[in-house]
Amino acid sequence: MGDERPYYELRHLVGFEETNLVGNVYYVNYVRWQGRCREMFLRDRAPEVLDDIRDDLKLFTLSVGCEFFAEITAFDQLSIRMRLEDLTQTQIGFTFDYVRLRGEEGGNDGEPVAGDLVARGRQRVACMRGPNTDTRPTRVPEALRRALEPYALPASGSAPRGPLAAATGGG
């Protein structure tokens, strides 16, 4: 199916309200699920960052996209799998694999559940601070960096920009 790196997973059961008149999922829901996955990641893996957000940290979404490979419909069970694509001083790049699960829900033992890749998304986020009239880029909080570390490319990865870019610049 492609990328075998560890991922943060959000499970989702598609409902009728997420489909169009034809019965397939309306495209805007894929973007909504990216946001939900990111929020749940913060809640589960970096709760201290939520306090920072309540203070003055802002996570601005700079870009978002999705490539579709197959249609999904109501009551399809999805696994939205978020990984770190790159990390600079002030920005974070995420990838999202949307996998329609097959068979039993399972997977609670840490083993991936079989499924079909139905879409792949990307999102770029900038960390900002300050009042809305004077918001400026800020470093990605250390707690968030630590939480993202397990989901990054390995140090020997071939990606041009990886998590190690954070130490030397960019963004």
Side-chain angles (χ1 to χ4, degrees):
M1 182 172 359
D3 200 339
E4 298 304 319
R5 289 181 293 142
Y7 51 82
Y8 175 80
E9 179 181 55
L10 174 68
R11 292 280 182 98
H12 181 72
L13 181 63
V14 176
F16 284 124
E17 73 278 3
E18 296 168 308
T19 63
N20 58 25
L21 292 174
V22 179
N24 56 352
V25 169
Y26 191 58
Y27 73 92
V28 74
N29 289 299
Y30 291 84
V31 175
R32 184 179 317 136
W33 298 333
Q34 284 184 23
R36 180 75 173 161
C37 188
R38 194 176 79 186
E39 291 167 4
M40 293 298 98
F41 171 81
L42 290 173
R43 186 197 73 173
D44 295 344
R45 302 285 192 260
E48 57 273 33
V49 175
L50 294 176
D51 291 334
D52 207 2
I53 290 171
R54 288 181 191 106
D55 187 19
D56 79 334
L57 177 67
K58 295 168 180 67
L59 300 179
F60 280 11
T61 301
L62 301 175
S63 64
V64 67
C66 200
E67 200 176 353
F68 305 101
F69 308 122
E71 290 184 353
I72 55 176
T73 59
F75 302 112
D76 280 344
Q77 176 77 31
L78 290 181
S79 167
I80 297 117
R81 299 173 179 179
M82 184 181 82
R83 293 181 177 92
L84 177 64
E85 184 172 44
D86 71 276
L87 178 62
T88 69
Q89 288 184 14
T90 62
Q91 296 183 13
I92 308 165
F94 296 103
T95 63
F96 298 86
D97 285 349
Y98 300 83
V99 178
R100 179 179 33 224
L101 301 177
R102 293 189 298 247
E104 299 298 314
E105 289 190 28
N108 295 330
D109 57 1
E111 290 297 312
V113 176
D116 302 308
L117 183 66
V118 296
R120 178 164 286 143
R122 281 200 159 79
Q123 190 175 112
R124 184 150 207 82
V125 174
C127 292
M128 308 286 274
R129 289 193 188 274
N132 290 337
T133 57
D134 189 27
T135 306
R136 298 177 187 261
T138 190
R139 289 185 174 271
V140 176
E142 190 57 38
L144 184 51
R145 288 181 178 281
R146 284 192 308 272
L148 289 167
E149 201 170 89
Y151 309 102
L153 286 170
S156 61
S158 58
R161 295 188 314 177
L164 297 179
T168 58

